Amino acid sequence: MALCGWCSSVRTMKGAFLILLITCGASSAKNNTSATCKPGNGPEVKAVTEGEALRLPCHRRFYNDESSAAFSWFREGTHVIQHSEDMHIHHHGAVLFFLPLHLNDTATYSCIWRPHPEQCVNFTFEVRVYKAKPLNRSVLWMDVEGHGSYLEILCPEDTGELCERGNGTLGWYKDSIHIPNMSEQILRVYSASNRDEGIYTCICTWKHSQKDFNTSASRRLIMTAPSASYPPIIKHPTSDTETAELGSSKTLVCAVFFGLNVKDFCDLWWEINGQIIRWENRYTENITREIKDNTTTYTAILTISSVSKEDFYSEFRCIAMNTQRWVNHTVTLKPRETIYTQIVVSSSVLLAFLMALVVFKYFIVDLSLLFRGVFKMRSPVDGKVYDAYVIYQRHDLEKAVEEKIDNFVGRLLPEVLEKKCGYRLFIHGRDDLPGEDHMELIETRMKLSRRLMVILTSGSEKGHEASANPEDYDRQVGLHQALVREELKVILIELEKMHCYSHLPQGLQHLILKSAPLRWEGKRPNSDSPNSRFWKRVRYMMPLPTAFRATPGVGETQFRYFI
Ligand SMILES: *[C@@H]1O[C@H](CO)[C@@H](O)[C@H](O)[C@H]1NC(C)=O
Ligand SMILES: *[C@@H]1O[C@H](CO)[C@@H](O)[C@H](O)[C@H]1NC(C)=O
Ligand SMILES: *[C@@H]1O[C@H](CO)[C@@H](O)[C@H](O)[C@H]1NC(C)=O
Ligand SMILES: *[C@@H]1O[C@H](CO)[C@@H](O)[C@H](O)[C@H]1NC(C)=O
Ligand SMILES: *[C@@H]1O[C@H](CO)[C@@H](O)[C@H](O)[C@H]1NC(C)=O
Ligand SMILES: *[C@@H]1O[C@H](CO)[C@@H](O)[C@H](O)[C@H]1NC(C)=O
Ligand SMILES: *[C@@H]1O[C@H](CO)[C@@H](O)[C@H](O)[C@H]1NC(C)=O
Ligand SMILES: *[C@@H]1O[C@H](CO)[C@@H](O)[C@H](O)[C@H]1NC(C)=O
Ligand SMILES: *[C@@H]1O[C@H](CO)[C@@H](O)[C@H](O)[C@H]1NC(C)=O
Ligand SMILES: *[C@@H]1O[C@H](CO)[C@@H](O)[C@H](O)[C@H]1NC(C)=O
Ligand SMILES: *[C@@H]1O[C@H](CO)[C@@H](O)[C@H](O)[C@H]1NC(C)=O
């Protein structure tokens, strides 16, 4: 059922179309006077002044067709307008007369032109009548704008032509004041200045049936600022590259100064790789014109909705042109530094810093010794006499260890540090005299020393018995100085690899924890050279050499004498 109904309705619709077409064809063929006419114009507005006359031709083509019978006139579409001169509104053929205009003549007037029975054209006019005084702006014709010394004001067509064709006389008025001896359709203003601004009216006085009538037209003269055109100046962009982030949006702004009050043709646009921007999804362009403080600036904003990789290889060119010149500026995009590149950069900086630190640490000994040598650095006078006070275990030692100590303390230390480096050491067993009061001697000597050098051996300590040994006492005093009063810096040297320090006094163990002992590796060649690795490290830990460099023997004697 439903299907059938649909089919039948389509059929009836087709039928209706056919009937319509046939009717249309018939109506154009038939002679039917009441058929609607083709419009000949959009409704044309006539703004006119009360008291003046209006001569209104149906069309410029029929300006003088005052006797043709093909025209009929209607007010508001229906009211027939007569030929009679008695009426203040009447028509002669194609021309409608208002002699003169009344305020209540404001209406729609239509002129029906029927040159052939089949042809009909409908011209309509909206006549709006305004009071003469004060002058209503609506009656003004288009403004005249200009600058410069010479200007022309043209009497609008309706009035000018009326006077010329109708043998009328034309007069010019500025702000209702007559301008003498001016009767041409064009009013020429020489040496124009701002004082010439105002409303200019041309009045045509013409005759109809021996009676004088006036028809006027007014327009305003506006003096504009003189315009000055320059070659375009691209104010922005100023740089050749801009940063953008892949996938995010980016706007490129091109701002161009074109001159002052520019009237000339000028234009601005963006191109990508020499191609004008097609309004693809990713690119949009917005061009705006701005006149501020008389300067003319154009701005073209190119928006990339989502920056892609190819944009980083593209050339974005802003082109500006006027009648004087074409200029352009090219911009390329470069990727903005992401967080990853920042991480890479900062971590390599950190790495370089660490490497510098390692290198510095490794060569600190050499550098510092080099410094001392180059700048001849010497320790300040501090009232001390010895550079180092050397303590070591002298008793209860195994034979091999004793030999080692003898070799190191008795031979190498004086050889390298004293002879070659100019240090002065206090070494037990060499520098103390037998029978000297130990306690006092040791304490005084230590106070006169800048360093405490402790030679560590794995020698067997014999428990509490050892505490009675003089060198043990040395240790106690020295450690007391070093630990409690922190007056003495300690240099720890072990003569062999020691696996455990538990046999050593507590204080010494504490010092070993604070800084690892230097290991003496005696088997190497150059072991008695001050420039071997071991001695360099010892020298580094030693104070600066003193300015006073006497031979140890002499110094020793003097010192002993001195105390
Ligand atoms: C059409 O009408 C006009 C008058 O308006 C008449 O003169 C003319 O003869 C008519 N033509 C026909 C074909 O009827
Ligand atoms: C003219 O057309 C109208 C409808 O537009 C119609 O009523 C009238 O009968 C027609 N006259 C003639 C003579 O065909
Ligand atoms: C002419 O046009 C006017 C305005 O559109 C309308 O009022 C009038 O009826 C038209 N006259 C004819 C004969 O078509
Ligand atoms: C229109 O105004 C004039 C005077 O201005 C008057 O004589 C005339 O009767 C008025 N016509 C109508 C239709 O009101
Ligand atoms: C101009 O005419 C319109 C319509 O008649 C009126 O509303 C307006 O007030 C008039 N302006 C002046 C300045 O007279
Ligand atoms: C204008 O004047 C000329 C002669 O001076 C005359 O031939 C012409 O008909 C006149 N035109 C009108 C519209 O009065
Ligand atoms: C206007 O023209 C008349 C005669 O052509 C002349 O006498 C008069 O001086 C002129 N007036 C002016 C203001 O130029
Ligand atoms: C035409 O206008 C002029 C100037 O305004 C005036 O002197 C004259 O009387 C007017 N004539 C008519 C018929 O209104
Ligand atoms: C713009 O031009 C006008 C007309 O010449 C002038 O009066 C005005 O002072 C100018 N404005 C600026 C900001 O220069
Ligand atoms: C172009 O820019 C102007 C001013 O910035 C703005 O008002 C306008 O909406 C923009 N037009 C488009 C299509 O984005
Ligand atoms: C851009 O300007 C340079 C000179 O500044 C010119 O050589 C080049 O041809 C211009 N390019 C375009 C596309 O106008």
Side-chain angles (χ1 to χ4, degrees):
M1 267 307 274
L3 197 70
C4 252
W6 181 78
C7 288
S8 64
S9 75
V10 168
R11 235 173 262 139
T12 37
M13 272 169 70
K14 266 188 181 167
F17 257 116
L18 270 170
I19 291 159
L20 207 74
L21 284 169
I22 289 162
T23 330
C24 290
S27 93
S28 61
K30 269 185 184 170
N31 184 8
N32 193 330
T33 46
S34 53
T36 51
C37 295
K38 262 199 320 187
N41 59 352
E44 203 173 304
V45 176
K46 294 283 170 190
V48 288
T49 310
E50 184 191 15
E52 292 188 351
L54 175 62
R55 183 184 188 274
L56 183 61
C58 201
H59 190 270
R60 277 178 59 82
R61 270 174 66 186
F62 316 121
Y63 196 86
N64 283 325
D65 283 2
E66 291 195 16
S67 51
S68 170
F71 300 93
S72 50
W73 285 87
F74 298 88
R75 180 182 162 130
E76 303 293 6
T78 50
H79 183 81
V80 181
I81 292 172
Q82 308 293 321
H83 301 265
S84 168
E85 284 286 337
D86 297 340
M87 314 292 285
H88 83 281
I89 303 176
H90 61 265
H91 79 97
H92 298 301
V95 185
L96 183 67
F97 290 92
F98 296 77
L99 302 168
L101 286 154
H102 295 164
L103 274 182
N104 55 22
D105 293 337
T106 298
T108 304
Y109 297 86
S110 47
C111 167
I112 308 298
W113 177 45
R114 214 181 289 277
H116 307 289
E118 313 86 47
Q119 201 182 346
C120 173
V121 187
N122 183 353
F123 301 91
T124 55
F125 300 89
E126 271 187 54
V127 176
R128 296 176 190 165
V129 187
Y130 295 91
K131 280 195 171 131
K133 283 189 178 153
L135 183 86
N136 199 302
R137 297 184 71 89
S138 303
V139 302
L140 292 180
W141 289 72
M142 208 168 67
D143 288 343
V144 179
E145 290 186 7
H147 65 269
S149 53
Y150 170 69
L151 292 172
E152 288 184 346
I153 304 168
L154 185 67
C155 186
E157 227 170 51
D158 283 26
T159 309
E161 199 170 13
L162 175 68
C163 251
E164 194 171 284
R165 293 207 194 185
N167 293 346
T169 51
L170 194 76
W172 280 96
Y173 296 79
K174 176 182 183 274
D175 298 323
S176 304
I177 294 161
H178 185 241
I179 308 172
N181 290 3
M182 291 293 174
S183 58
E184 280 185 63
Q185 283 193 50
I186 294 171
L187 178 70
R188 294 181 173 83
V189 183
Y190 297 95
S191 343
S193 71
N194 284 357
R195 281 178 304 135
D196 292 315
E197 282 192 335
I199 291 171
Y200 286 79
T201 308
C202 53
I203 297 182
C204 177
T205 307
W206 53 286
K207 277 193 185 336
H208 182 83
S209 307
Q210 272 71 50
K211 276 173 78 180
D212 278 342
F213 292 99
N214 280 346
T215 298
S216 76
S218 301
R219 55 202 311 191
R220 183 187 296 276
L221 173 68
I222 297 167
M223 301 296 288
T224 53
S227 86
S229 195
Y230 298 99
I233 299 166
I234 296 180
K235 297 277 195 190
H236 201 273
T238 45
S239 74
D240 294 340
T241 54
E242 292 212 12
T243 56
E245 221 167 282
L246 196 66
S248 63
S249 79
K250 172 75 189 168
T251 54
L252 292 172
V253 178
C254 184
V256 175
F257 167 76
F258 279 104
L260 299 168
N261 298 299
V262 174
K263 298 278 190 311
D264 295 340
F265 178 71
C266 42
D267 205 357
L268 172 68
W269 67 94
W270 278 99
E271 284 183 2
I272 303 174
N273 295 325
Q275 301 285 310
I276 286 173
I277 289 164
R278 289 180 304 271
W279 286 57
E280 289 171 21
N281 292 339
R282 285 200 310 123
Y283 305 114
T284 50
E285 194 182 18
N286 185 2
I287 300 169
T288 50
R289 183 192 162 147
E290 188 186 38
I291 300 175
K292 205 200 231 166
D293 300 339
N294 297 342
T295 64
T296 305
T297 308
Y298 276 38
T299 308
I301 300 174
L302 171 65
T303 306
I304 309 170
S305 61
S306 167
V307 174
S308 76
K309 246 185 197 150
E310 66 186 86
D311 292 329
F312 293 124
Y313 305 103
S314 296
E315 272 189 348
F316 296 88
R317 184 175 291 125
C318 167
I319 299 178
M321 61 149 301
N322 64 7
T323 48
Q324 298 198 20
R325 201 176 295 170
W326 289 56
V327 296
N328 64 70
H329 186 98
T330 306
V331 176
T332 51
L333 296 181
K334 71 166 199 259
R336 182 172 294 148
E337 269 189 11
T338 60
I339 188 87
Y340 302 108
T341 50
Q342 280 171 16
I343 287 172
V344 166
V345 167
S346 50
S347 52
S348 37
V349 166
L350 193 73
L351 200 71
F353 179 75
L354 285 176
M355 275 169 67
L357 206 69
V358 165
V359 166
F360 182 74
K361 194 120 176 110
Y362 189 75
F363 289 109
I364 179 78
V365 171
D366 298 75
L367 282 173
S368 147
L369 292 177
L370 189 72
F371 247 72
R372 289 184 189 181
V374 168
F375 296 102
K376 306 251 181 294
M377 293 164 81
R378 297 286 175 259
S379 22
V381 176
D382 53 2
K384 307 238 170 172
V385 176
Y386 299 105
D387 290 305
Y389 186 102
V390 183
I391 57 177
Y392 56 98
Q393 193 176 350
R394 280 187 292 168
H395 302 276
D396 308 313
L397 291 167
E398 287 166 12
K399 187 100 177 122
V401 178
E402 200 174 335
E403 273 172 14
K404 239 183 206 169
I405 287 188
D406 278 352
N407 178 42
F408 186 78
V409 177
R411 191 178 69 84
L412 278 169
L413 269 184
E415 169 90 11
V416 177
L417 289 186
E418 289 188 331
K419 271 211 190 116
K420 292 184 177 159
C421 303
Y423 286 115
R424 189 183 301 164
L425 308 176
F426 185 91
I427 303 175
H428 265 297
R430 180 191 80 172
D431 299 331
D432 53 344
L433 297 175
E436 265 185 315
D437 185 337
H438 263 103
M439 262 209 291
E440 240 174 78
L441 175 87
I442 289 169
E443 202 174 330
T444 326
R445 298 277 157 86
M446 271 190 187
K447 274 184 187 164
L448 287 166
S449 301
R450 299 189 178 93
R451 295 283 186 276
L452 178 67
M453 189 180 283
V454 184
I455 314 297
L456 304 172
T457 46
S458 55
S460 57
E461 294 266 339
K462 285 178 185 161
H464 295 290
E465 283 173 58
S467 61
N469 288 336
E471 62 267 30
D472 218 34
Y473 183 72
D474 289 358
R475 283 181 191 164
Q476 299 302 327
V477 178
L479 292 178
H480 178 75
Q481 299 268 35
L483 283 172
V484 180
R485 293 160 68 181
E486 290 195 358
E487 277 181 0
L488 272 176
K489 281 192 184 145
V490 180
I491 303 172
L492 300 170
I493 296 173
E494 56 182 35
L495 289 187
E496 58 209 328
K497 185 158 178 66
M498 290 168 77
H499 299 287
C500 110
Y501 301 100
S502 57
H503 64 281
L504 296 172
Q506 284 274 307
L508 212 49
Q509 289 185 31
H510 177 79
L511 284 174
I512 290 169
L513 278 182
K514 269 170 69 178
S515 70
L518 303 175
R519 171 140 354 107
W520 164 245
E521 284 164 37
K523 299 249 156 50
R524 300 219 169 148
N526 289 340
S527 63
D528 59 349
S529 160
N531 288 326
S532 69
R533 182 93 202 129
F534 171 79
W535 287 114
K536 271 189 186 170
R537 285 161 78 195
V538 174
R539 282 163 60 204
Y540 171 65
M541 294 178 84
M542 287 293 283
L544 297 173
T546 34
F548 176 64
R549 283 179 185 227
T551 57
V554 177
E556 193 55 51
T557 323
Q558 280 177 344
F559 169 65
R560 224 177 267 146
Y561 180 72
F562 173 67
I563 58 166

